[in-house]
Amino acid sequence: MGVRIKDADTVKVRDDVFDEVTLMALYKLVQKKLISVIGGPISTGKEANVFYGEHDGRGLAIKIYRIQTANFKAMTEYMAGDRRFSSVRGTRKGLIFAWTKKEFSNLARAHDVGIPVPEPLVFDRNILLMEFLGRDEVPYPQLRNAEVEDYGAVYQQILGYVKQLYQEARLIHADLSEYNILYHEKPYLIDMGQAVTLDHPRAPVFLIRDIKNLNRYFSRYCDVTDEEEVLRAIVGTGRREP
């Protein structure tokens, strides 16, 4: 496709990742000169694979949602009730494309209000290009694997992000845990495809679950705030709960 491959041995052509639809989307992004280098895998998740890439020397994260094997039913729980995507119906492929657009939109809303997330650059079909969070082609570690000097301070930072996400971006992450937070000098929120707007029917459940997950993890390392108190601080005085 006219793109340079780094570490060719690590970029295996797998049918469930690089199918015909994905290759066409990748080809379009390369032709638009949005990708100049494709490297090895950064992560392999339940729904998507993330590869390292470059554009004119700038590091990229190339997230590819797997059309054939992504968890269709799990995605619909977050998509149904989101007014932005209420018109999405039908095929697995259509849902995956909408999910990719949804993550782009969620990241853009978070990034626009100053929350540390990978800056979303562009999406096409089931491929999302984002800023690469790492150094020397190595991604920042997940919080669970990071060296953290002051867990209490990081806990408060992340609660601040959750509050800012709620009050300014009008979103709830809905899958926040030590797996979806990267850490290097400060925490970064990632994996926001499932994030929902405040009018989603299950928004209160998702927000409380995020708080519980944070308290569960950080209680091993520092004092945590009571869940109800955290919830009141996020929702804000005079606000209705989500």
Side-chain angles (χ1 to χ4, degrees):
M1 294 189 293
V3 66
R4 185 162 63 89
I5 304 294
K6 276 191 175 182
D7 303 322
D9 289 343
T10 68
V11 187
K12 303 298 184 184
V13 178
R14 293 174 47 190
D15 290 341
D16 65 334
V17 179
F18 294 105
D19 56 18
E20 185 176 351
V21 171
T22 301
L23 287 172
M24 285 301 298
L26 200 56
Y27 178 74
K28 284 177 63 177
L29 293 169
V30 170
Q31 290 302 300
K32 291 178 180 177
K33 301 190 184 303
L34 296 170
I35 303 173
S36 53
V37 173
I38 297 176
I42 296 170
S43 69
T44 302
K46 293 177 290 185
E47 320 296 346
N49 292 54
V50 183
F51 294 87
Y52 176 78
E54 290 178 7
H55 173 240
D56 293 338
R58 179 188 183 186
L60 298 175
I62 306 171
K63 189 168 190 176
I64 301 176
Y65 279 100
R66 296 193 295 274
I67 294 174
Q68 299 304 322
T69 58
N71 191 331
F72 186 87
K73 289 183 179 179
M75 288 181 165
T76 56
E77 178 184 12
Y78 299 97
M79 193 73 77
D82 190 323
R83 294 180 184 178
R84 298 171 298 169
F85 300 93
S86 59
S87 62
V88 175
R89 296 286 186 277
T91 66
R92 171 186 293 272
K93 185 166 64 176
L95 178 68
I96 301 300
F97 290 177
W99 186 270
T100 307
K101 181 179 179 180
K102 184 171 184 276
E103 179 157 26
F104 178 90
S105 174
N106 290 340
L107 285 170
R109 288 173 72 153
H111 184 267
D112 287 348
V113 301
I115 297 170
V117 297
E119 180 185 0
L121 302 173
V122 69
F123 69 94
D124 191 296
R125 306 185 197 192
N126 60 320
I127 300 179
L128 172 61
L129 299 189
M130 301 172 285
E131 170 191 11
F132 173 68
L133 297 179
R135 179 182 294 174
D136 299 328
E137 301 181 25
V138 178
Y140 295 148
Q142 293 174 325
L143 178 63
R144 66 193 180 101
N145 296 324
E147 294 184 10
V148 178
E149 289 187 9
D150 188 340
Y151 277 96
V154 172
Y155 171 65
Q156 292 300 328
Q157 271 187 298
I158 295 170
L159 290 184
Y161 295 170
V162 176
K163 180 178 180 179
Q164 190 179 4
L165 193 66
Y166 181 96
Q167 294 193 0
E168 298 180 33
R170 311 300 287 168
L171 289 174
I172 293 165
H173 187 285
D175 191 26
L176 199 57
S177 74
E178 64 272 25
Y179 293 88
N180 288 338
I181 300 169
L182 303 185
Y183 186 81
H184 175 73
E185 298 181 350
K186 65 180 179 182
Y188 297 82
L189 305 188
I190 61 168
D191 289 341
M192 293 191 62
Q194 74 292 322
V196 299
T197 50
L198 305 191
D199 57 0
H200 190 284
R202 291 179 56 78
V205 175
F206 294 148
L207 178 57
I208 292 168
R209 187 174 69 189
D210 282 352
I211 295 168
K212 286 180 180 291
N213 279 343
L214 290 175
N215 277 4
R216 170 193 52 76
Y217 179 74
F218 279 97
S219 64
R220 307 172 195 170
Y221 305 103
C222 64
D223 293 334
V224 298
T225 308
D226 178 75
E227 292 166 8
E228 290 297 326
E229 188 177 338
V230 173
L231 183 62
R232 286 194 296 271
I234 291 168
V235 172
T237 305
R239 292 173 180 265
R240 296 173 60 191
E241 292 189 5

Short mmCIF file of all heavy atoms in Angstrom, two decimals, residues 25-61:
data_model
loop_
_atom_site.label_atom_id
_atom_site.label_comp_id
_atom_site.label_asym_id
_atom_site.label_seq_id
_atom_site.Cartn_x
_atom_site.Cartn_y
_atom_site.Cartn_z
N ALA A 25 -10.01 0.38 4.39
CA ALA A 25 -9.96 1.58 5.23
C ALA A 25 -8.51 2.01 5.47
O ALA A 25 -8.17 3.20 5.41
CB ALA A 25 -10.66 1.31 6.56
N LEU A 26 -7.64 1.03 5.71
CA LEU A 26 -6.23 1.32 5.92
C LEU A 26 -5.61 1.92 4.67
O LEU A 26 -4.82 2.88 4.73
CB LEU A 26 -5.51 0.02 6.31
CG LEU A 26 -4.16 0.12 7.01
CD1 LEU A 26 -4.26 0.93 8.27
CD2 LEU A 26 -3.63 -1.29 7.31
N TYR A 27 -5.99 1.38 3.51
CA TYR A 27 -5.49 1.89 2.23
C TYR A 27 -5.87 3.36 2.05
O TYR A 27 -5.05 4.19 1.63
CB TYR A 27 -6.05 1.04 1.10
CG TYR A 27 -5.63 1.50 -0.28
CD1 TYR A 27 -4.34 1.28 -0.75
CD2 TYR A 27 -6.53 2.17 -1.11
CE1 TYR A 27 -3.95 1.70 -2.00
CE2 TYR A 27 -6.16 2.60 -2.37
CZ TYR A 27 -4.86 2.36 -2.82
OH TYR A 27 -4.48 2.80 -4.06
N LYS A 28 -7.13 3.71 2.39
CA LYS A 28 -7.58 5.10 2.25
C LYS A 28 -6.77 6.03 3.15
O LYS A 28 -6.38 7.12 2.74
CB LYS A 28 -9.07 5.21 2.61
CG LYS A 28 -10.00 4.69 1.52
CD LYS A 28 -11.45 4.76 1.97
CE LYS A 28 -11.89 6.20 2.21
NZ LYS A 28 -13.32 6.28 2.59
N LEU A 29 -6.51 5.59 4.37
CA LEU A 29 -5.76 6.43 5.31
C LEU A 29 -4.31 6.62 4.84
O LEU A 29 -3.73 7.70 4.99
CB LEU A 29 -5.79 5.81 6.71
CG LEU A 29 -7.17 5.80 7.38
CD1 LEU A 29 -7.14 4.92 8.63
CD2 LEU A 29 -7.62 7.22 7.73
N VAL A 30 -3.74 5.57 4.26
CA VAL A 30 -2.38 5.67 3.72
C VAL A 30 -2.37 6.60 2.51
O VAL A 30 -1.48 7.46 2.38
CB VAL A 30 -1.83 4.28 3.35
CG1 VAL A 30 -0.52 4.40 2.57
CG2 VAL A 30 -1.62 3.43 4.60
N GLN A 31 -3.35 6.45 1.62
CA GLN A 31 -3.41 7.29 0.43
C GLN A 31 -3.61 8.77 0.77
O GLN A 31 -3.14 9.64 0.05
CB GLN A 31 -4.53 6.81 -0.50
CG GLN A 31 -4.25 5.47 -1.16
CD GLN A 31 -2.98 5.49 -1.99
OE1 GLN A 31 -2.85 6.27 -2.93
NE2 GLN A 31 -2.01 4.66 -1.62
N LYS A 32 -4.29 9.02 1.87
CA LYS A 32 -4.46 10.41 2.33
C LYS A 32 -3.24 10.92 3.08
O LYS A 32 -3.24 12.04 3.59
CB LYS A 32 -5.69 10.51 3.24
CG LYS A 32 -7.01 10.30 2.52
CD LYS A 32 -8.18 10.36 3.50
CE LYS A 32 -9.51 10.14 2.80
NZ LYS A 32 -10.64 10.14 3.76
N LYS A 33 -2.21 10.07 3.13
CA LYS A 33 -0.93 10.40 3.78
C LYS A 33 -1.11 10.68 5.27
O LYS A 33 -0.42 11.52 5.85
CB LYS A 33 -0.25 11.58 3.07
CG LYS A 33 0.04 11.29 1.59
CD LYS A 33 0.91 12.33 0.98
CE LYS A 33 1.10 12.08 -0.52
NZ LYS A 33 1.66 10.77 -0.82
N LEU A 34 -2.04 9.96 5.88
CA LEU A 34 -2.26 10.08 7.32
C LEU A 34 -1.45 9.04 8.10
O LEU A 34 -1.30 9.16 9.31
CB LEU A 34 -3.75 9.93 7.63
CG LEU A 34 -4.64 11.03 7.03
CD1 LEU A 34 -6.11 10.67 7.19
CD2 LEU A 34 -4.35 12.36 7.71
N ILE A 35 -0.97 8.02 7.38
CA ILE A 35 -0.10 7.00 7.97
C ILE A 35 1.09 6.83 7.05
O ILE A 35 0.92 6.62 5.84
CB ILE A 35 -0.82 5.64 8.13
CG1 ILE A 35 -2.09 5.77 8.97
CG2 ILE A 35 0.11 4.62 8.76
CD1 ILE A 35 -2.92 4.49 9.00
N SER A 36 2.29 6.90 7.60
CA SER A 36 3.49 6.66 6.79
C SER A 36 4.22 5.39 7.21
O SER A 36 4.99 4.84 6.44
CB SER A 36 4.44 7.86 6.85
OG SER A 36 4.72 8.21 8.20
N VAL A 37 3.99 4.96 8.46
CA VAL A 37 4.67 3.77 9.00
C VAL A 37 3.66 2.97 9.82
O VAL A 37 2.86 3.55 10.56
CB VAL A 37 5.86 4.17 9.90
CG1 VAL A 37 6.45 2.94 10.59
CG2 VAL A 37 6.93 4.90 9.10
N ILE A 38 3.69 1.66 9.67
CA ILE A 38 2.93 0.77 10.52
C ILE A 38 3.90 -0.16 11.24
O ILE A 38 4.76 -0.77 10.60
CB ILE A 38 1.90 -0.07 9.72
CG1 ILE A 38 0.87 0.85 9.06
CG2 ILE A 38 1.19 -1.07 10.63
CD1 ILE A 38 -0.12 0.13 8.17
N GLY A 39 3.75 -0.23 12.56
CA GLY A 39 4.65 -1.06 13.35
C GLY A 39 3.93 -2.21 14.02
O GLY A 39 2.83 -2.60 13.62
N GLY A 40 4.52 -2.71 15.07
CA GLY A 40 3.99 -3.88 15.75
C GLY A 40 2.83 -3.55 16.67
O GLY A 40 2.46 -2.39 16.85
N PRO A 41 2.24 -4.58 17.26
CA PRO A 41 1.07 -4.38 18.11
C PRO A 41 1.43 -3.73 19.44
O PRO A 41 2.46 -4.05 20.05
CB PRO A 41 0.54 -5.81 18.32
CG PRO A 41 1.72 -6.69 18.11
CD PRO A 41 2.58 -6.01 17.10
N ILE A 42 0.58 -2.80 19.87
CA ILE A 42 0.71 -2.17 21.19
C ILE A 42 -0.11 -2.96 22.21
O ILE A 42 0.33 -3.21 23.33
CB ILE A 42 0.22 -0.71 21.15
CG1 ILE A 42 1.10 0.12 20.23
CG2 ILE A 42 0.20 -0.11 22.56
CD1 ILE A 42 0.55 1.51 19.95
N SER A 43 -1.32 -3.33 21.81
CA SER A 43 -2.18 -4.09 22.72
C SER A 43 -3.19 -4.89 21.92
O SER A 43 -3.52 -4.55 20.78
CB SER A 43 -2.91 -3.16 23.69
OG SER A 43 -3.86 -2.37 23.01
N THR A 44 -3.67 -5.95 22.54
CA THR A 44 -4.72 -6.78 21.96
C THR A 44 -5.83 -6.89 23.00
O THR A 44 -5.63 -7.46 24.06
CB THR A 44 -4.20 -8.17 21.61
OG1 THR A 44 -3.10 -8.04 20.69
CG2 THR A 44 -5.29 -9.01 20.95
N GLY A 45 -6.99 -6.30 22.68
CA GLY A 45 -8.10 -6.33 23.61
C GLY A 45 -9.20 -7.26 23.15
O GLY A 45 -9.06 -7.98 22.16
N LYS A 46 -10.32 -7.22 23.89
CA LYS A 46 -11.44 -8.09 23.56
C LYS A 46 -12.09 -7.68 22.25
O LYS A 46 -12.60 -8.52 21.51
CB LYS A 46 -12.48 -8.04 24.69
CG LYS A 46 -12.00 -8.66 25.99
CD LYS A 46 -13.04 -8.52 27.08
CE LYS A 46 -13.20 -7.07 27.52
NZ LYS A 46 -14.12 -6.93 28.67
N GLU A 47 -12.08 -6.37 21.95
CA GLU A 47 -12.80 -5.88 20.78
C GLU A 47 -11.87 -5.38 19.67
O GLU A 47 -12.30 -5.30 18.53
CB GLU A 47 -13.74 -4.72 21.17
CG GLU A 47 -14.47 -4.89 22.49
CD GLU A 47 -15.43 -6.05 22.48
OE1 GLU A 47 -15.73 -6.56 21.39
OE2 GLU A 47 -15.87 -6.46 23.56
N ALA A 48 -10.65 -5.01 20.03
CA ALA A 48 -9.80 -4.32 19.06
C ALA A 48 -8.33 -4.64 19.28
O ALA A 48 -7.91 -5.06 20.37
CB ALA A 48 -10.02 -2.81 19.16
N ASN A 49 -7.55 -4.41 18.24
CA ASN A 49 -6.09 -4.47 18.30
C ASN A 49 -5.56 -3.06 18.06
O ASN A 49 -6.10 -2.32 17.23
CB ASN A 49 -5.52 -5.40 17.23
CG ASN A 49 -5.86 -6.86 17.48
OD1 ASN A 49 -7.03 -7.22 17.63
ND2 ASN A 49 -4.85 -7.71 17.51
N VAL A 50 -4.50 -2.70 18.78
CA VAL A 50 -3.88 -1.40 18.59
C VAL A 50 -2.45 -1.61 18.13
O VAL A 50 -1.69 -2.37 18.74
CB VAL A 50 -3.89 -0.56 19.89
CG1 VAL A 50 -3.31 0.84 19.63
CG2 VAL A 50 -5.31 -0.44 20.44
N PHE A 51 -2.10 -0.93 17.02
CA PHE A 51 -0.76 -1.04 16.45
C PHE A 51 -0.06 0.32 16.53
O PHE A 51 -0.70 1.37 16.49
CB PHE A 51 -0.83 -1.48 14.98
CG PHE A 51 -1.36 -2.87 14.80
CD1 PHE A 51 -2.72 -3.10 14.70
CD2 PHE A 51 -0.50 -3.96 14.73
CE1 PHE A 51 -3.22 -4.39 14.53
CE2 PHE A 51 -0.98 -5.25 14.56
CZ PHE A 51 -2.34 -5.46 14.47
N TYR A 52 1.26 0.26 16.62
CA TYR A 52 2.04 1.49 16.56
C TYR A 52 2.12 1.96 15.11
O TYR A 52 2.21 1.15 14.19
CB TYR A 52 3.46 1.25 17.10
CG TYR A 52 4.35 2.46 16.98
CD1 TYR A 52 4.23 3.52 17.88
CD2 TYR A 52 5.28 2.57 15.96
CE1 TYR A 52 5.02 4.65 17.76
CE2 TYR A 52 6.09 3.69 15.84
CZ TYR A 52 5.95 4.74 16.74
OH TYR A 52 6.74 5.85 16.61
N GLY A 53 2.09 3.26 14.91
CA GLY A 53 2.25 3.82 13.58
C GLY A 53 2.92 5.18 13.66
O GLY A 53 3.18 5.71 14.75
N GLU A 54 3.19 5.74 12.50
CA GLU A 54 3.78 7.08 12.46
C GLU A 54 3.18 7.88 11.31
O GLU A 54 2.75 7.31 10.30
CB GLU A 54 5.30 7.00 12.27
CG GLU A 54 6.05 6.47 13.48
CD GLU A 54 7.55 6.37 13.26
OE1 GLU A 54 8.03 6.84 12.20
OE2 GLU A 54 8.25 5.81 14.13
N HIS A 55 3.16 9.18 11.50
CA HIS A 55 2.78 10.12 10.43
C HIS A 55 3.79 11.25 10.45
O HIS A 55 3.83 12.04 11.39
CB HIS A 55 1.37 10.67 10.66
CG HIS A 55 0.99 11.76 9.71
ND1 HIS A 55 0.65 13.02 10.11
CD2 HIS A 55 0.92 11.76 8.35
CE1 HIS A 55 0.38 13.77 9.06
NE2 HIS A 55 0.54 13.03 7.98
N ASP A 56 4.64 11.27 9.44
CA ASP A 56 5.69 12.28 9.36
C ASP A 56 6.52 12.35 10.65
O ASP A 56 6.80 13.43 11.18
CB ASP A 56 5.09 13.66 9.06
CG ASP A 56 4.48 13.73 7.66
OD1 ASP A 56 4.88 12.92 6.80
OD2 ASP A 56 3.61 14.59 7.44
N GLY A 57 6.86 11.18 11.18
CA GLY A 57 7.70 11.12 12.36
C GLY A 57 6.97 11.20 13.68
O GLY A 57 7.57 10.97 14.74
N ARG A 58 5.68 11.51 13.65
CA ARG A 58 4.89 11.59 14.89
C ARG A 58 4.28 10.23 15.19
O ARG A 58 3.72 9.58 14.30
CB ARG A 58 3.77 12.62 14.74
CG ARG A 58 2.89 12.75 15.98
CD ARG A 58 1.68 13.63 15.73
NE ARG A 58 0.89 13.80 16.94
CZ ARG A 58 -0.28 14.43 16.98
NH1 ARG A 58 -0.79 14.96 15.86
NH2 ARG A 58 -0.94 14.56 18.12
N GLY A 59 4.38 9.79 16.44
CA GLY A 59 3.83 8.49 16.81
C GLY A 59 2.32 8.46 16.77
O GLY A 59 1.65 9.43 17.16
N LEU A 60 1.78 7.36 16.28
CA LEU A 60 0.33 7.16 16.20
C LEU A 60 -0.04 5.85 16.90
O LEU A 60 0.74 4.91 16.93
CB LEU A 60 -0.13 7.04 14.74
CG LEU A 60 0.05 8.19 13.78
CD1 LEU A 60 -0.38 7.74 12.38
CD2 LEU A 60 -0.74 9.40 14.22
N ALA A 61 -1.24 5.81 17.42
CA ALA A 61 -1.85 4.55 17.82
C ALA A 61 -2.94 4.25 16.79
O ALA A 61 -3.83 5.06 16.58
CB ALA A 61 -2.45 4.65 19.22
#
